[in-house]
Amino acid sequence: MELLFITLGGAIIGLIARYALPYRHAHGSVLVPAFGAGFAAALWVALTWVGLKWNGGWIWWITLIATAVLTVAVDLLLGALRTKGDERRLHRLTRSGVSSAGA
């Protein structure tokens, strides 16, 4: 049951990151919340394998804080990469369009 709660927490963190950060136009609406949910669940399981107890406070804090930090970083990185890629593609398309129109 705790795995379900932590996965939901990761999805909520992803939703907050999606709508609080500037690159929401650069990726799909479910990508960041899905990443947050998946990362939170995977980290929770890894921490239980390491030996942290599910009813202890540290596993909750570590999972939620790491999920928040990594989700923000991934959102900013993906948004920046996608925006730069779109700009390069637009430049390449408009440059090739101008050269073929002038010929």
Side-chain angles (χ1 to χ4, degrees):
M1 187 56 94
E2 286 75 15
L3 183 59
L4 176 68
F5 291 145
I6 205 69
T7 304
L8 181 62
I12 291 170
I13 289 170
L15 277 171
I16 292 169
R18 164 144 175 81
Y19 291 107
L21 296 174
Y23 290 116
R24 73 180 68 93
H25 68 281
H27 48 71
S29 61
V30 183
L31 179 65
V32 176
F35 175 80
F39 179 75
L43 182 60
W44 178 274
V45 170
L47 290 174
T48 58
W49 287 346
V50 170
L52 291 176
K53 301 294 180 200
W54 59 267
N55 59 355
W58 283 111
I59 193 170
W60 290 92
W61 285 110
I62 292 169
T63 303
L64 292 175
I65 290 171
T67 299
V69 169
L70 199 62
T71 300
V72 166
V74 165
D75 183 85
L76 292 174
L77 179 67
L78 285 176
L81 289 174
R82 179 69 188 264
T83 301
K84 286 183 187 215
D86 288 350
E87 289 170 358
R88 273 188 269 124
R89 174 75 147 212
L90 179 63
H91 178 70
R92 190 170 53 236
L93 289 172
T94 55
R95 185 176 36 144
S96 66
V98 169
S99 65
S100 65

